[in-house]
Amino acid sequence: MDLVSGYKGVVGLVFGNENSGSSEDSYVERLLDRISNGKLAEDRRNALIELQSVVAENRAAQLAFGAMGFPVLMGVLKEERDDVEMVANPSLFLYCMIRGALETLVSALTPIGHVKAQKNEAQPELMNADLLSREADGISLLLSLLAEDDFYIRYYTLQILTALLTNSPNRLQEAILTIPRGITRLMDMLMDREVIRNEALLLLTYLTREAEEIQKIVVFEGAFEKLFSIIKEEGGSDGGVVVQDCLELLNNLLRSNTSNQILLRETLGFDSLLSILKLRGISYSFTQQKTINLLSVLETINLLIMGGSEADPGKEANRLTNKTTLVQKKVLDYLLMLGVESQWAPVAVRCSALKCIGDLIRGHPKNLDALASKTLGEGLQEPAINSILRIILRTSSTQEFVAADYENTEGQAMLASTLIPQPYPVAHAPIEEDVNMSFGSMLLRGFTLSESDGDLETCCRAASVLSHVLKDNIPCKERVLKIELEAPMQSLGSSEPLMHRMVKYLALASSMKNRDGKSNVARNAYVQPIILKLLVIWLVDCPSAVNCFLDSRAHLTYLLELLANESEPVSTRGLAAVILGECVIYNKSIESGKDAFSLVDTVSQKVGLTSYFLKFEEMQKSYHFATASSTQPRRTLSRSTAASMADIEDADESYLADEKNEAHPILSSVFDDIFVTLAKRLEADIREAIIDVYSNPKSKVAVVPAELEQKSSESDAEYIKRLKAFVEKQCSEIQDLLSRNSVLAEDLAKSGGGSQSQSEPRASGALDRAQVEKLRRDLHEASQRLEMLKSEKAKTESEALMYQNLAAKMESDLKSLSDAYNSLEQANFQLEKEVKALRNGGGGGGSSAIPDIEAIKAEAKEEAQKESEAELSDLLVCLGQEQSRVEKLSARLLELGEDVDQLLEGIGDDAGLAEDDDDEDEEEE
């Protein structure tokens, strides 16, 4: 009763006050009274029809119904259903009452579309759903109605349950779990007529989201068999939205649920699932619905590859088993058809298929071998991985390049031995002839393709693939160092190592960014990061690669300029700093100008170690380094998101306006979690190496100055004594420098900045300026925060004062009400006292003062009767006169040919009404 009364209060708020909403409220109340207390069956049914109509069209009536109507209609459902079960041949009236009650409940739970609710206005459908879900035995009664033979009863019941589940999911899920055979009745609806089946699909889809217990029960009730049966009946991937609903329900049952995945694999297997991926017909047509269905199936495969939830200890074993079984069932053939061979397929389908291939071979050598053995094409066949490489190098879709490159993270290491450059004429052969090349030759050809046109797109993509090939493969890094590429034109010079060519491309991309033209901006936004990533991976644990990089002094100069250029993105400067650090930690050279000490000295003088280490901190705070994670969930495919995911368009145009846009999809693929982890590890090693170089400077044999040579007049003993003093002085100075460098290095490691010895005044000055600037920024930030805290404090004090005044006003009002109440109590007590005194009379003499009320009433009644008799006689006289006039007029009208009856029609009714009114007045008197 408290809950209902609370909602009645809400009704009053919506209507404005008690009187403004009285019309709707009283109208709904009268209809509910006719339904529950009516004597005539026809009147009850008409009232139910009127109630359904007004609730479906009026928000105020909808809200008023929620405050008082649910117990009435639930009672109708229970009573009429009992009558139906008791009667051998139930009448149509009983079914109509149940249908009407259910349809009214549907209207009460459905928002009125043509009425726009105000911002702070109550939403009746949500309140009604909450009220109905709290009804005792209400959910159980609704589920029992699913067993009725009447189609409309089952249909409306499913709609009510779906509305409740949409607005109050947790309470409905808990209620269904406590009802015996509750889910079984819902599962039986999947075998019902088409409309009922579709409603049951939607209901089960909502019900199984994030409800593991319900998922297990639904699977135990044979959900897999029923779903695949419906999908086959509807036409598989060529079917309509029903297939989509079935696949969404299937994905709900498999998502993060290892036991259900095992049950599907060991009972039905994956054949029914994979048959949906088969493309039928010679010319494939992909409607939007078919695209959504294929994306849903690919999501199912991805869920099987994931294996289950992270907390499940059996996840890894289940994942490996699912991968093995899927490949044994020829899933690679279907995925290669969708992702590579079928160029009619939409971009979204091709990308999803390629990502599934990458997940299947990741960490699974046997599946990797199976992919390597696949060939594509009907006539002249080529390896499947070569076809995927061609997609990477040639596709015009950003998403497709990212998806294909994602697949190659594990698929290219086995092809490192094929990195053999082709002769010069073959490298410039028509693009169609690359079908005869090996994987490595095709990849190396991509580094020179379109170079003369200044288009670095293909070169950049080839660099991304090469970074996967070189990752953790020292022999392959050594092999690629020996590869030399011919210049695109003989006039540009002779051949050069591939690494030097990549640095040239890096500088070329940087110079092209200063040109006008948005097309260059879009591409060069990711060309530099991809080439820098290749160099970072190439230099790891490879001193030969470091030596090759430092062979040209211009490479070091360019990296220092790139590092100091504030117009470059944060990620670009950070990767340049990582490459410089790798040249220190993996440097085995003793040649002057190329050794580790010379490099650190150069960085200290040109950039400053404080500024250098600041680049690492800025890169760590950048968008991609902060968001890179291997546990990011993929977007779930549902009815609300399916259309947008199926209509993926290429994203290049949306990034033309801002070359520093950090949300570019290719940049997201460059800075994956594996590479981010590598960069963080390298940063720690670089800091430690630079501290070590500062603590132990390079020892170098100096030429003995001329003043240290023995003088002609100096004895051997004096010369030895002088040399000993000089050596002791030098040793003392060296020890001082070493101790000072060690202290500075420790401070550098603790503060995250850099410092130089006092022997380097230029670097030391840069360090002091950087520290002062940092302290100044910190002071400015602290001042801003202090101002913000002051403003928040003032705002809080203002709010506290307002609430204090409000509390004082309420206390004053409460006191006034209390005083008024006390006054009323005193007045009431005084009146009761006077009445009591009048009744008692205070003695014999006082009783005569009390008037005889009965006598007064009788006298007044007698006088009223006399007056009414006089008025009645006067009225009769008037009526007699009027009757004679009417008779004369009627006779005259007949003479004139008029229809007297037609003229007098209705006059008697008005007279009757008037007489009734007079009678009612007399009764009231």
Side-chain angles (χ1 to χ4, degrees), residues 627-639:
T627 58
S629 174
S630 60
T631 60
Q632 289 180 350
R634 293 188 178 183
R635 190 178 180 187
T636 303
L637 192 69
S638 62
R639 272 202 176 191

Side-chain angles (χ1 to χ4, degrees), residues 539-551:
L539 297 178
V540 172
D541 294 324
C542 189
S544 300
V546 172
N547 189 57
C548 179
F549 180 82
L550 295 175
D551 279 343

Side-chain angles (χ1 to χ4, degrees), residues 658-819:
D658 186 5
E659 62 180 272
K660 295 184 180 180
N661 195 318
E662 292 188 325
H664 199 289
I666 293 184
L667 291 179
S668 299
S669 68
V670 171
F671 297 104
D672 57 1
D673 60 292
I674 298 175
F675 181 70
V676 168
T677 303
L678 172 63
K680 292 179 180 179
R681 178 177 65 81
L682 288 174
E683 178 191 353
D685 295 341
I686 291 168
R687 289 181 182 275
E688 183 178 353
I690 291 180
I691 291 172
D692 185 65
V693 170
Y694 254 90
S695 301
N696 302 283
K698 179 179 68 171
S699 60
K700 183 176 181 180
V701 179
V703 179
V704 179
E707 60 267 24
L708 293 181
E709 295 181 358
Q710 188 177 7
K711 300 177 181 179
S712 59
S713 62
E714 191 177 26
S715 63
D716 292 339
E718 292 175 349
Y719 179 64
I720 291 173
K721 184 178 179 180
R722 188 163 58 87
L723 287 178
K724 184 178 180 181
F726 178 81
V727 170
E728 288 177 352
K729 181 182 178 182
Q730 291 293 321
C731 287
S732 176
E733 291 177 356
I734 290 173
Q735 290 298 326
D736 291 339
L737 289 174
L738 288 175
S739 62
R740 192 179 317 121
N741 284 342
S742 298
V743 172
L744 290 173
E746 290 176 1
D747 293 339
L748 172 67
K750 292 178 181 178
S751 63
S755 177
Q756 296 80 18
S757 66
Q758 293 182 0
S759 62
E760 300 169 344
R762 180 179 177 182
S764 179
L767 172 62
D768 293 340
R769 288 194 300 272
Q771 289 178 342
V772 170
E773 186 64 27
K774 184 175 184 300
L775 289 173
R776 188 175 297 166
R777 287 198 304 268
D778 292 344
L779 179 61
H780 181 65
E781 292 177 359
S783 301
Q784 289 181 339
R785 181 165 180 81
L786 181 61
E787 292 297 330
M788 182 178 67
L789 291 175
K790 286 182 178 179
S791 62
E792 290 180 355
K793 180 184 177 183
K795 182 180 178 181
T796 304
E797 290 177 350
S798 173
E799 291 179 353
L801 181 61
M802 180 186 68
Y803 288 129
Q804 186 176 1
N805 295 335
L806 182 62
K809 183 177 181 300
M810 293 177 67
E811 185 177 359
S812 174
D813 294 342
L814 183 61
K815 185 177 180 181
S816 300
L817 289 173
S818 178
D819 294 341

Side-chain angles (χ1 to χ4, degrees), residues 386-410:
N386 285 27
S387 300
I388 295 173
L389 175 61
R390 182 177 291 103
I391 292 176
I392 296 175
L393 298 179
R394 295 185 184 177
T395 182
S396 60
S397 169
T398 298
Q399 283 79 10
E400 192 170 11
F401 161 64
V402 172
D405 192 49
Y406 172 86
E407 185 274 331
N408 278 274
T409 56
E410 294 287 340

Side-chain angles (χ1 to χ4, degrees), residues 22-23 25-35 47 68:
S22 60
S23 58
D25 199 357
S26 60
Y27 182 56
V28 171
E29 187 174 4
R30 287 197 303 271
L31 292 176
L32 290 172
D33 182 68
R34 287 169 58 189
I35 294 170
M68 65 187 80

Side-chain angles (χ1 to χ4, degrees), residues 603-617:
V603 172
S604 176
Q605 292 185 20
K606 299 292 185 181
V607 181
L609 291 183
T610 301
S611 178
Y612 172 73
F613 283 113
L614 188 61
K615 301 300 184 291
F616 288 105
E617 298 177 4

